[in-house]
Amino acid sequence: MTYDAIVIGAGMSGLAAGIRLAMFDKKVVILEKHSIPGGLNSYYQRRNFDNPGIRQFDVGLHALTNFIKKGEKGKPFSKILKQLRLSYDDFKLCPQTHSKISFPGIELKFSNEFELLSTEVMEKFPHEKDNFVKLVERVKAFNELDLSIGYSSSRDTLKTIIKDELLVEMLLCPLLIYGSAWEDDMDFAQFVIMFKSLYFEGFSRPEGGVRTIISLLMQKLEQVGGEIRFKAAVNSILTNERGQAIGVDVGGEILHAPVVLSSIGLPETVRLTPALESAATPRIGAMTFLESIFIFDKKIPLQQNSSTINFYNNALKYSYRPATDYFDPTSAVICFPDNYEAHKTEGEGTVRITYMANYAQWRDLN
Ligand SMILES: Cc1cc2nc3c(=O)[nH]c(=O)nc-3n(C[C@H](O)[C@H](O)[C@H](O)COP(=O)(O)OP(=O)(O)OC[C@H]3O[C@@H](n4cnc5c(N)ncnc54)[C@H](O)[C@@H]3O)c2cc1C
């Protein structure tokens, strides 16, 4: 079978790539090894033992980052909507109230208005006022889309701008856990992407959670004539003598295409491509997470001071690395999905807690 393009993976990026290609009349197939779309931002259901029926759970996505108000232009989310021809209203976005970073004895709040974080930093770290302004200017001026800029350590860069180590730790905490598979540090370009996404633009949640996003993407893919196959794990990426991808082996079936897009991550892509064996092995991140979801018989009433997402850390230093035990309770992200504005007030309440975990320990459980 021959296609114009093959996309590996039906997470958000694979689905978006597939839609865009099909929209321009390319014969495209998305190959997904799982039985449902969404990738790390997905969902599952469990029987409800208290009441007849089932409970729906989201995994991964606590918040849609890069919040925009209706009509705002030139931002990542508005560009995606435009490119995929999706309507803002269909997402039914509920903005966060505010979120906070909690370290021993100190908190920094942030919201969809950058002003709040700015004021918080000025009040709690007055000696860093000018340096924080410098950091913000540096972030604004940095072109994170310029792929020719090589790796640079965010910690090293931050140290040259901000002197108070606690402020560095607090600013890094949400950005690392939401944006880095690597331990303790991140590429400065990735830091900038995350800083803009979380602190400049902020969080919202579509009514209906991650399912709303995935079903909008799936509907669009169908509308534009893209094909998707589930339980279709790619075993290897085929290349020609010049090392260019020309197709894939999916469960023994060979599919050909002059364009193969992989959305499964660089180390995984290298592993599937025998021709790349001699290429330098990309650094593989060791971060693993455990998510616990708690169900309450009613929603926690939304109060003025209720935060939507709380990034907490029980020490002054943020130790972002795999837990030594099954999970590390000294630091976590606590997400209150009911604390988004305009969410329903009736029904069961939910709290989600994401901890750093230890993959090997969970894998070796009998
Ligand atoms: C704990 C946690 C919380 C997060 N919270 C948020 C959040 O609140 N907000 C937010 O915006 N982001 C969040 N993220 C990040 C977000 O999940 C990712 O940025 C996003 O999922 C990346 O999408 P993707 O399509 O690039 O990759 P993925 O979601 O990883 O999708 C890759 C897909 O490829 C498939 N695949 C892999 N190998 C193969 C193969 N050989 N053949 C076929 N298919 C294959 C996988 O099954 C998967 O479906 C979170 C991530 C984690 C881990």
Side-chain angles (χ1 to χ4, degrees):
M1 186 79 120
T2 302
Y3 290 89
D4 293 325
I6 294 169
V7 177
I8 310 175
M12 302 279 172
S13 55
L15 288 172
I19 292 170
R20 193 81 182 139
L21 286 158
M23 204 175 256
F24 288 92
D25 297 328
K26 299 292 175 202
K27 187 179 169 199
V28 57
V29 63
I30 303 177
L31 303 170
E32 169 54 54
K33 72 173 176 187
H34 197 19
S35 52
I36 53 169
L40 282 175
N41 289 327
S42 194
Y43 53 88
Y44 63 97
Q45 57 188 36
R46 284 282 179 276
R47 219 176 107 199
N48 180 348
F49 290 97
D50 305 325
N51 296 301
I54 48 169
R55 286 193 176 105
Q56 309 281 0
F57 297 100
D58 281 5
V59 219
L61 194 100
H62 290 155
L64 190 66
T65 58
N66 301 88
F67 175 74
I68 51 163
K69 292 192 185 120
K70 191 173 175 176
E72 257 184 271
K73 293 201 170 71
K75 298 280 177 59
F77 190 56
S78 51
K79 286 183 195 166
I80 287 178
L81 292 180
K82 194 171 164 199
Q83 287 173 356
L84 301 183
R85 296 177 199 155
L86 293 168
S87 137
Y88 180 91
D89 290 336
D90 288 344
F91 283 81
K92 299 192 185 100
L93 294 183
C94 307
Q96 67 172 329
T97 52
H98 66 266
S99 291
K100 61 185 178 186
I101 309 161
S102 310
F103 274 51
I106 186 162
E107 262 180 21
L108 285 178
K109 288 189 192 142
F110 64 96
S111 69
N112 295 352
E113 304 294 336
F114 181 64
E115 199 53 37
L116 177 62
L117 179 64
S118 230
T119 312
E120 289 272 297
V121 172
M122 305 293 165
E123 271 172 20
K124 291 167 186 172
F125 294 90
H127 49 288
E128 288 291 353
K129 201 172 160 181
D130 295 342
N131 292 338
F132 185 68
V133 171
K134 269 188 217 150
L135 174 66
V136 170
E137 276 162 13
R138 178 81 173 263
V139 167
K140 278 187 185 157
F142 191 92
N143 179 8
E144 67 277 18
L145 302 179
D146 180 353
L147 298 179
S148 67
I149 300 174
Y151 174 87
S152 65
S153 151
S154 296
R155 282 193 180 277
D156 290 351
T157 311
L158 286 172
K159 269 186 218 150
T160 64
I161 307 171
I162 291 188
K163 302 296 165 234
D164 192 320
E165 285 176 17
L166 180 58
L167 180 57
V168 170
E169 299 298 321
M170 291 183 83
L171 290 174
L172 274 173
C173 169
L175 310 191
L176 280 170
I177 195 158
Y178 272 3
S180 179
W182 294 338
E183 306 89 293
D184 252 345
D185 205 349
M186 67 206 299
D187 182 9
F188 189 67
Q190 176 71 357
F191 172 89
V192 169
I193 291 174
M194 298 307 294
F195 196 100
K196 290 179 178 172
S197 307
L198 270 68
Y199 297 148
F200 283 172
E201 292 165 27
F203 297 143
S204 67
R205 181 178 189 267
E207 208 180 286
V210 73
R211 280 175 186 74
T212 303
I213 308 175
I214 295 169
S215 64
L216 286 170
L217 292 173
M218 289 295 288
Q219 278 163 26
K220 181 59 78 175
L221 183 71
E222 197 185 338
Q223 213 181 73
V224 294
E227 182 186 335
I228 187 161
R229 293 195 201 174
F230 293 106
K231 295 191 177 168
V234 170
N235 300 327
S236 66
I237 298 174
L238 314 173
T239 47
N240 63 16
E241 62 290 348
R242 292 195 303 282
Q244 292 162 332
I246 51 163
V248 298
D249 170 342
V250 51
E253 185 186 351
I254 304 296
L255 303 180
H256 291 281
V259 172
V260 178
L261 296 178
S262 171
S263 70
I264 65 175
L266 183 56
E268 292 84 351
T269 305
V270 168
R271 220 166 27 220
L272 290 187
T273 316
L276 290 179
E277 253 169 31
S278 57
T281 314
R283 193 173 140 207
I284 298 173
M287 293 313 296
T288 305
F289 304 97
L290 166 74
E291 182 165 1
S292 304
I293 305 182
F294 299 84
I295 303 291
F296 297 86
D297 55 357
K298 56 181 180 228
K299 291 194 192 302
I300 304 157
L302 183 62
Q303 285 152 13
Q304 231 181 354
N305 261 334
S306 319
S307 57
T308 303
I309 304 184
N310 186 352
F311 300 84
Y312 87 79
N313 187 54
N314 279 354
L316 296 176
K317 165 115 181 94
Y318 183 52
S319 176
Y320 183 67
R321 41 189 56 253
T324 48
D325 208 338
Y326 290 100
F327 70 97
D328 178 0
T330 63
S331 177
V333 184
I334 310 177
C335 172
F336 299 92
D338 303 327
N339 284 358
Y340 281 95
E341 284 168 19
H343 259 255
K344 290 196 196 99
T345 50
E346 291 121 41
E348 290 178 330
T350 308
V351 175
R352 297 168 55 183
I353 308 190
T354 304
Y355 300 103
M356 287 174 244
N358 184 306
Y359 175 69
Q361 296 221 25
W362 288 96
R363 184 198 54 206
D364 295 343
L365 272 180
N366 188 334

